[in-house]
Amino acid sequence: MITIKKLSHDFVIGKKGRQTIIPVLRDISFSVEKGEIVTIVGRSGSGKSTLLNLVSGFIHPKEGEIWISGEKVSDMNEAKFADFRIHNLGFIFQSFQLIPSMTAFQNVELPLILKGINEGDRRKQTEEMLKKVGLLDYQDHYPGELSGGQQQRVSIARALIINPPLILADEPTGSLDSETEEELLQFIKELNRDMGITFLIITHDDKVAEIGDRTIELRDGRIVEEVRLLCN
Amino acid sequence: MQLKDQFRFVRQNMKKNKTRVFMTILATAMGCAFLIVLASVGFGLQKSVVKEMTERRVITQIDVHGKEGDDGGSFRPINKKDIQIFEEVKDVKAVTRRKMLQQEGNFSIGNYQEPAQTFVANFPSEVKAGLELSEGRLPKGQDEVVVGYNFPLNLASKDAPDDRYDNKSQLKTEYRYSGKLIGEKLELTVRQLKDGKQEEKTIPLTVVGISKKPTKEWAEDRSVFISDTILTEIENFTGTPKGYLLDANSEVPTDQDIHENSFDEVKIYAKNMEAVQGISDQLKDLKYATYSVVNELKEVNMIFMIAKAGLIFIGTIAILIASIGIYNTMTMAVTERAPDIGIMKAIGANPKTIKRIFLLESSYIGLIGALIGTLVSYGISYAVNFAIPLIIKQAFGKETELNIIFSDIPLILPVICILICYGVTIISGYRPAQRATRVDVLKAMRREV
Ligand SMILES: Nc1ncnc2c1ncn2[C@@H]1O[C@H](COP(=O)(O)OP(=O)(O)OP(=O)(O)O)[C@@H](O)[C@H]1O
Ligand SMILES: [Mg+2]
């Protein structure tokens, strides 16, 4: 599903002439198989988010290759990557990233609008998806009128609506209490089991790390350990 | 993304800050109205001038004043040979030529009299050019004459007082000749100074026809057409060509031109308006001095073209000023919506789509502004045309109706305005739209924009 070859990245900060180069990722290579749940752990500042942002296409790598579903996404330009994302990738963010001026329904519907699907089909699919995450009764609520857990479910519905084979999540439970966290983890497992969706999840949390088939640990921008959790 | 959804997005976005959008539309509308009203004055005045020019003259008519001599300076009058040349030019319908009696003939019938301009005309060509009679027939005999439509209306009693005219400067009916005219005897009296004494000669004539009422309301036709033989008779009496009137210290003019059988009024009628240009070009090559309203129209239209372009240019400046508002509004909109744009980009919105939505929004503002501006300018134009004549009437107390159109908006004007406005909107909306596509996803998601 995902293959990463010799990926390196660093940030350049400061004004011209007094630039500082901050190396973040060094020579990262790993792959994620179809149907796997892979978690990435590591101390704060180890480069986890940077790695996920590279895979998501939000930043462009300095060196190395990223392949997703057989496509070399690291060579794509912004527009191409955008089209790739809308058809292949689902996202779950720590802070949900819902559009505050749109209702739950409209937020979930948005990817379908961007894909150019017509209104009738959109309505049906969106309602189905809201039902699946148990928020059909809340479809006309704005994000500000929903609890954190509910907002995260809306954002999951938005990620799932395009039927992505791969979902990328950066600390998806970071803003949730332990009970809702447990619910979310169960839901992820269910999606993985029933629909074969591949997950790449970044976390601090051991409980989250435990649901992975595999855990990759980053330290100072390098992979230090790859643990296969056989218990799953 | 479907166009329908893009429009829906745009409308939703515009609703988020109604006041700002409204003010921007207002500014654009004002700019457009300014442009249209300003330029409409050019269009209106042009229309008035052209109307005036074409109403006073027959559009297919070319006046020939003379032919340039070989020396290049002096002009000589048109003679029979020239007429033959004219008649052979392509697309010429008729060539009318008139000789004019060089003094005012005094016509009388019984106790009624009237001074009138007297011509010798070539009737076949006059008929071809459109001469029609309201009564009677064309002359056959040499003492037969045709009079203009207004001639009988001005035939006044010899003892009519000075205030014989009514307030429309028409001869009052009580002094007007009321009998029939066709078949009646009419006497023409010509004068000449001979050995210091005024002598008169009376020539008997018969009226056989009256011409048709001139089509133009303001035109008045009081002329009398006599035959060549009568003109010769007059010349024999006066001893001058065409009855030229001598005064105490002038001699018989020796100018060869007048002696020649030359014509005083030569008019060429083209078959249609399009042919006028070709005919006058040919005549110009043959060194004839001509005048036609078509030629003049060309010049007048050229001048107005430049004037209108200038007015539209000034109006465009107003739209450009309004476009600063559009630029500002769109920049604000992009800034405000940057977090949303970031999220949309993150889940896979194409930068092109985002750009299109913002361009659509600025076009929307521009076009609505232009449409409102157009409607308003039609209103203003109507009001101006209604009010200015009233004001002028008030100020000068004039009763005469003004035939000037102060403001005219032909369809092309709103079209030009909308195109200019649309172009300006796209230009001013382009940078903000471009900026929207460059919103950084990560920064937007961290609410750093
Ligand atoms: N846009 C940026 N410009 C400059 N440096 C950056 C940028 N983003 C991240 N960094 C640096 O890269 C390093 C890794 O950051 P990253 O966000 O990937 O860490 P992380 O592992 O996700 O940490 P956390 O667990 O706290 O979220 C940090 O040292 C950070 O300062
Ligand atoms: Mg992080």
Side-chain angles (χ1 to χ4, degrees):
Chain A
M1 184 101 268
I2 307 176
T3 307
I4 289 170
K5 292 180 189 163
K6 295 189 180 297
L7 186 70
S8 295
H9 192 74
D10 41 41
F11 289 105
V12 181
I13 58 166
K15 284 189 191 114
K16 264 206 171 129
R18 283 171 48 196
Q19 286 167 334
T20 324
I21 295 174
I22 305 172
V24 181
L25 296 176
R26 279 283 152 268
D27 208 20
I28 305 274
S29 297
F30 71 93
S31 54
V32 177
E33 301 305 322
K34 195 168 166 29
E36 265 189 314
I37 298 179
V38 173
T39 53
I40 298 175
V41 294
R43 291 231 306 274
S44 188
S46 56
K48 305 183 297 293
S49 293
T50 306
L51 177 59
L52 200 77
N53 289 337
L54 284 164
V55 176
S56 311
F58 300 154
I59 43 181
H60 200 80
K62 287 270 150 71
E63 261 175 62
E65 295 174 6
I66 304 168
W67 296 72
I68 303 175
S69 303
E71 297 217 41
K72 193 176 179 185
V73 295
S74 50
D75 279 356
M76 286 181 179
N77 63 20
E78 208 188 352
K80 260 197 160 165
F81 214 136
D83 289 339
F84 181 81
R85 279 204 290 271
I86 196 73
H87 290 104
N88 296 284
L89 300 180
F91 295 93
I92 305 172
F93 305 99
Q94 179 179 358
S95 47
F96 323 130
Q97 305 295 357
L98 299 174
I99 293 180
S101 60
M102 291 184 178
T103 62
F105 182 92
Q106 287 169 332
N107 267 290
V108 176
E109 187 192 21
L110 183 59
L112 297 181
I113 295 178
L114 293 174
K115 270 175 97 169
I117 291 172
N118 63 42
E119 210 174 335
D121 292 348
R122 278 194 327 240
R123 172 150 286 279
K124 226 178 74 201
Q125 290 180 38
T126 308
E127 276 174 358
E128 232 166 66
M129 191 51 70
L130 281 166
K131 204 166 162 189
K132 193 166 177 171
V133 297
L135 286 174
L136 197 58
D137 294 342
Y138 294 86
Q139 56 170 305
D140 292 328
H141 286 235
Y142 287 91
E145 300 161 1
L146 293 169
S147 74
Q150 286 167 332
Q151 287 185 52
Q152 192 60 302
R153 275 190 279 162
V154 173
S155 90
I156 292 170
R158 184 181 64 188
L160 289 173
I161 194 112
I162 58 160
N163 281 320
L166 172 65
I167 289 181
L168 304 172
D170 192 346
E171 310 207 18
T173 60
S175 308
L176 304 177
D177 62 51
S178 55
E179 216 167 298
T180 23
E181 176 179 353
E182 189 52 44
E183 265 175 46
L184 177 63
L185 293 178
Q186 284 312 314
F187 192 49
I188 288 176
K189 274 197 212 164
E190 231 175 85
L191 291 170
N192 175 252
R193 196 178 56 227
D194 300 345
M195 303 173 68
I197 299 175
T198 311
F199 281 88
L200 182 60
I201 303 169
I202 288 175
T203 188
H204 268 112
D205 192 323
D206 289 344
K207 265 197 274 173
V208 180
E210 275 169 15
I211 69 159
D213 300 311
R214 215 146 39 95
T215 299
I216 294 170
E217 191 184 343
L218 279 184
R219 192 175 300 156
D220 296 332
R222 288 172 202 278
I223 295 180
V224 290
E225 208 178 353
E226 231 181 284
V227 192
R228 194 163 284 275
L229 296 165
L230 295 171
C231 55
N232 284 306
Chain B
M1 193 166 170
Q2 293 177 355
L3 196 66
K4 200 173 69 182
D5 291 319
Q6 294 181 10
F7 270 109
R8 213 174 43 125
F9 256 66
V10 167
R11 275 198 305 275
Q12 273 171 7
N13 286 341
M14 284 167 68
K15 273 188 209 142
K16 281 180 199 158
N17 205 326
K18 281 197 197 121
T19 324
R20 194 174 66 203
V21 169
F22 171 78
M23 293 313 258
T24 317
I25 289 178
L26 187 68
T28 315
M30 281 164 71
C32 285
F34 180 73
L35 185 149
I36 294 179
V37 170
L38 198 64
S40 79
V41 175
F43 280 94
L45 292 181
Q46 180 180 26
K47 204 173 178 182
S48 310
V49 169
V50 168
K51 197 171 145 209
E52 182 87 6
M53 282 169 67
T54 49
E55 256 179 12
R56 294 214 168 264
R57 306 236 343 172
V58 179
I59 195 127
T60 53
Q61 176 183 321
I62 304 167
D63 292 7
V64 186
H65 299 303
K67 182 170 176 165
E68 200 179 319
D70 293 330
D71 52 3
S74 61
F75 283 84
R76 66 160 178 76
I78 301 302
N79 58 36
K80 275 207 173 102
K81 272 191 208 148
D82 296 318
I83 300 290
Q84 274 176 3
I85 294 171
F86 299 159
E87 281 181 331
E88 274 157 26
V89 173
K90 200 170 155 261
D91 289 331
V92 168
K93 189 169 80 176
V95 183
T96 65
R97 54 272 196 183
R98 293 179 179 179
K99 290 176 201 163
M100 195 167 81
L101 184 66
Q102 299 296 311
Q103 61 171 280
E104 203 160 56
N106 195 14
F107 295 88
S108 59
I109 179 165
N111 194 34
Y112 294 85
Q113 65 167 9
E114 177 180 358
Q117 285 211 322
T118 313
F119 294 99
V120 176
N122 173 285
F123 280 102
S125 66
E126 296 280 349
V127 168
K128 261 200 255 171
L131 173 78
E132 283 176 80
L133 299 182
S134 62
E135 259 181 82
R137 56 167 174 82
L138 293 172
K140 284 180 200 141
Q142 292 165 349
D143 64 340
E144 294 181 337
V145 299
V146 168
V147 297
Y149 179 81
N150 301 84
F151 181 85
L153 305 177
N154 286 287
L155 206 48
S157 168
K158 273 176 186 159
D159 32 55
D162 280 345
D163 67 335
R164 60 181 75 169
Y165 299 106
D166 63 14
N167 54 10
K168 282 179 181 160
S169 32
Q170 300 279 324
L171 184 63
K172 288 179 185 164
T173 9
E174 60 248 53
Y175 308 119
R176 197 188 287 171
Y177 176 77
S178 53
K180 80 177 181 77
L181 206 58
I182 303 284
E184 293 302 307
K185 289 268 172 274
L186 190 67
E187 284 184 335
L188 164 61
T189 309
V190 290
R191 295 159 290 145
Q192 185 59 296
L193 203 65
K194 288 189 173 174
D195 305 324
K197 271 194 297 184
Q198 178 97 329
E199 285 188 20
E200 286 189 350
K201 180 183 167 71
T202 303
I203 302 165
L205 302 165
T206 311
V207 180
V208 295
I210 299 172
S211 75
K212 212 170 187 176
K213 187 173 197 248
T215 42
K216 318 283 192 236
E217 203 156 315
W218 43 266
E220 194 175 51
D221 182 8
R222 290 170 58 176
S223 40
V224 176
F225 296 97
I226 57 171
S227 69
D228 237 328
T229 320
I230 301 290
L231 182 64
T232 315
E233 201 180 326
I234 296 170
E235 282 173 339
N236 289 339
F237 162 72
T238 58
T240 52
K242 292 177 192 159
Y244 186 81
L245 206 54
L246 298 172
D247 58 41
N249 40 22
S250 75
E251 305 262 304
V252 176
T254 50
D255 195 343
Q256 197 48 38
D257 289 343
I258 304 181
H259 289 284
E260 287 289 327
N261 233 343
S262 64
F263 298 101
D264 301 294
E265 258 188 49
V266 178
K267 288 176 178 146
I268 298 177
Y269 291 86
K271 284 200 174 115
N272 50 47
M273 201 181 104
E274 289 72 36
V276 173
Q277 189 62 49
I279 295 170
S280 37
D281 285 349
Q282 274 187 56
L283 295 181
K284 203 176 164 196
D285 289 343
L286 295 169
K287 301 212 164 171
Y288 288 103
T290 63
Y291 169 86
S292 70
V293 77
V294 169
N295 275 349
E296 202 187 15
L297 268 184
K298 227 171 76 180
E299 275 167 38
V300 166
N301 282 336
M302 187 70 180
I303 292 167
F304 272 104
M305 187 67 124
I306 295 166
K308 285 187 295 189
L311 292 176
I312 289 176
F313 177 76
I314 295 170
T316 305
I317 294 175
I319 295 183
L320 282 175
I321 294 169
S323 81
I324 297 173
I326 296 179
Y327 179 85
N328 196 31
T329 297
M330 293 314 296
T331 307
M332 298 273 280
V334 170
T335 309
E336 277 171 11
R337 274 175 243 151
D340 298 0
I341 297 167
I343 293 168
M344 284 174 67
K345 278 181 81 174
I347 61 175
N350 198 302
K352 262 190 235 146
T353 311
I354 290 167
K355 189 159 146 187
R356 209 162 330 124
I357 291 172
F358 278 96
L359 280 180
L360 209 58
E361 184 167 339
S362 55
S363 320
Y364 219 80
I365 292 176
L367 287 181
I368 292 177
L371 282 178
I372 294 175
T374 304
L375 289 181
V376 168
S377 58
Y378 270 105
I380 294 176
S381 168
Y382 182 81
V384 161
N385 284 334
F386 179 75
I388 290 193
L390 282 185
I391 294 168
I392 290 178
K393 226 178 196 173
Q394 282 280 318
F396 300 103
K398 265 201 235 167
E399 265 305 304
T400 51
E401 50 185 299
L402 278 157
N403 262 326
I404 302 174
I405 308 160
F406 288 95
S407 162
D408 175 52
I409 307 179
L411 196 62
I412 183 77
L413 189 51
V415 171
I416 289 174
C417 176
I418 288 170
L419 283 181
I420 290 176
C421 191
Y422 185 70
V424 165
T425 318
I426 292 290
I427 292 169
S428 57
Y430 191 83
R431 255 180 71 92
Q434 191 72 33
R435 225 178 62 130
T437 67
R438 285 200 296 262
V439 165
D440 187 274
V441 175
L442 294 174
K443 276 188 187 162
M445 290 201 301
R446 286 195 300 260
R447 301 287 187 272
E448 273 178 18
V449 283

